Coordinates of all heavy atoms in Angstrom, one line a residue:
L194 N -3.5 13.9 20.0 CA -3.2 13.9 21.4 C -4.4 13.6 22.3 O -4.4 12.7 23.2 CB -2.7 15.4 21.8 CG -1.9 15.5 23.0 CD1 -0.6 14.7 22.9 CD2 -1.5 17.0 23.2
V195 N -5.6 14.2 21.9 CA -6.8 13.9 22.6 C -7.2 12.4 22.5 O -7.5 11.7 23.5 CB -8.0 14.8 22.0 CG1 -9.3 14.3 22.6 CG2 -7.7 16.2 22.3
L196 N -7.1 11.9 21.3 CA -7.4 10.5 21.1 C -6.4 9.5 21.7 O -6.8 8.4 22.1 CB -7.6 10.2 19.6 CG -9.1 10.4 19.1 CD1 -10.0 9.3 19.7 CD2 -9.6 11.8 19.3
A197 N -5.2 10.0 21.9 CA -4.2 9.1 22.5 C -4.6 8.8 24.0 O -4.5 7.7 24.4 CB -2.8 9.8 22.5
I198 N -5.2 9.8 24.7 CA -5.6 9.5 26.0 C -7.0 8.9 26.1 O -7.3 8.0 26.9 CB -5.5 10.8 26.9 CG1 -5.8 10.5 28.4 CG2 -6.4 11.9 26.5 CD1 -4.9 9.6 29.1
T199 N -7.9 9.3 25.2 CA -9.3 8.8 25.3 C -9.5 7.5 24.7 O -10.5 6.8 25.0 CB -10.3 9.8 24.7 OG1 -9.9 10.1 23.4 CG2 -10.3 11.2 25.5
S200 N -8.7 7.1 23.8 CA -8.9 5.9 23.0 C -7.7 5.0 22.9 O -7.7 3.8 23.2 CB -9.4 6.2 21.6 OG -9.4 5.1 20.8
H201 N -6.6 5.5 22.5 CA -5.4 4.7 22.2 C -4.8 4.1 23.4 O -4.5 2.9 23.5 CB -4.4 5.5 21.4 CG -5.0 6.1 20.1 ND1 -4.4 7.1 19.4 CD2 -6.2 5.9 19.5 CE1 -5.2 7.4 18.3 NE2 -6.3 6.8 18.5
L202 N -4.6 4.9 24.5 CA -4.0 4.4 25.7 C -5.0 3.4 26.4 O -4.5 2.3 26.8 CB -3.7 5.6 26.7 CG -3.0 5.2 28.0 CD1 -1.7 4.5 27.7 CD2 -2.8 6.4 28.9
P203 N -6.3 3.6 26.5 CA -7.1 2.6 27.1 C -7.0 1.3 26.3 O -7.0 0.2 27.0 CB -8.5 3.2 26.9 CG -8.3 4.7 26.9 CD -7.0 4.9 26.3
H204 N -7.0 1.3 25.0 CA -6.8 0.0 24.3 C -5.5 -0.6 24.6 O -5.4 -1.9 24.8 CB -6.9 0.3 22.8 CG -8.4 0.3 22.3 ND1 -9.2 1.4 22.4 CD2 -9.2 -0.6 21.8 CE1 -10.4 1.2 22.0 NE2 -10.4 -0.1 21.6
L205 N -4.4 0.2 24.7 CA -3.1 -0.4 25.0 C -3.1 -1.0 26.4 O -2.5 -2.1 26.6 CB -2.1 0.7 24.9 CG -0.7 0.3 24.4 CD1 -0.8 -0.4 23.0 CD2 0.2 1.5 24.4
I206 N -3.7 -0.4 27.3 CA -3.8 -0.9 28.7 C -4.6 -2.2 28.7 O -4.2 -3.2 29.3 CB -4.5 0.1 29.6 CG1 -3.6 1.3 29.8 CG2 -4.8 -0.5 31.0 CD1 -4.3 2.5 30.5
A207 N -5.7 -2.2 27.9 CA -6.5 -3.5 27.9 C -5.7 -4.6 27.2 O -5.6 -5.7 27.8 CB -7.7 -3.2 27.0
Y208 N -5.0 -4.3 26.1 CA -4.1 -5.4 25.5 C -3.1 -5.9 26.5 O -2.8 -7.1 26.6 CB -3.4 -4.8 24.3 CG -4.3 -4.7 23.0 CD1 -4.5 -3.5 22.4 CD2 -4.8 -5.8 22.5 CE1 -5.3 -3.4 21.2 CE2 -5.6 -5.8 21.3 CZ -5.8 -4.6 20.7 OH -6.6 -4.5 19.6
N209 N -2.5 -4.9 27.3 CA -1.5 -5.3 28.2 C -2.0 -6.2 29.4 O -1.4 -7.2 29.7 CB -0.8 -4.0 28.7 CG 0.4 -4.3 29.6 OD1 1.3 -5.0 29.1 ND2 0.4 -3.9 30.8
I210 N -3.1 -5.7 30.0 CA -3.7 -6.4 31.1 C -4.1 -7.8 30.8 O -3.9 -8.8 31.5 CB -4.8 -5.6 31.8 CG1 -4.9 -6.1 33.3 CG2 -6.1 -5.7 31.2 CD1 -5.7 -5.2 34.1
V211 N -4.7 -8.0 29.6 CA -5.2 -9.3 29.2 C -4.0 -10.2 28.9 O -4.0 -11.4 29.3 CB -6.1 -9.2 27.9 CG1 -6.5 -10.6 27.4 CG2 -7.4 -8.4 28.3
G212 N -3.0 -9.6 28.3 CA -1.7 -10.4 28.1 C -1.1 -10.8 29.4 O -0.6 -11.9 29.5
T213 N -1.1 -9.9 30.4 CA -0.4 -10.2 31.7 C -1.2 -11.3 32.4 O -0.6 -12.3 32.9 CB -0.5 -9.0 32.6 OG1 0.2 -7.9 32.0 CG2 0.2 -9.3 33.9
A214 N -2.5 -11.3 32.4 CA -3.3 -12.3 33.0 C -3.1 -13.6 32.4 O -3.0 -14.7 33.0 CB -4.8 -11.9 32.9
N215 N -2.9 -13.6 31.0 CA -2.7 -14.8 30.3 C -1.3 -15.5 30.6 O -1.2 -16.7 30.6 CB -2.8 -14.5 28.8 CG -2.8 -15.8 28.0 OD1 -3.6 -16.7 28.3 ND2 -2.0 -15.8 27.0
D216 N -0.4 -14.6 31.0 CA 1.0 -15.1 31.2 C 1.2 -15.5 32.7 O 2.3 -16.1 33.0 CB 2.0 -13.9 30.9 CG 2.1 -13.7 29.4 OD1 1.6 -14.5 28.7 OD2 2.6 -12.6 29.0
L217 N 0.3 -15.2 33.6 CA 0.5 -15.5 35.0 C 0.7 -17.0 35.2 O 0.0 -17.8 34.6 CB -0.7 -15.1 35.8 CG -0.8 -13.6 36.1 CD1 -2.1 -13.3 36.9 CD2 0.4 -13.1 36.9

Side-chain angles (χ1 to χ4, degrees):
L194 204 58
V195 171
L196 270 292
I198 185 66
T199 56
S200 170
H201 307 168
L202 184 62
H204 277 81
L205 213 58
I206 291 168
Y208 281 121
N209 188 56
I210 201 168
V211 174
T213 302
N215 191 47
D216 290 345
L217 285 177

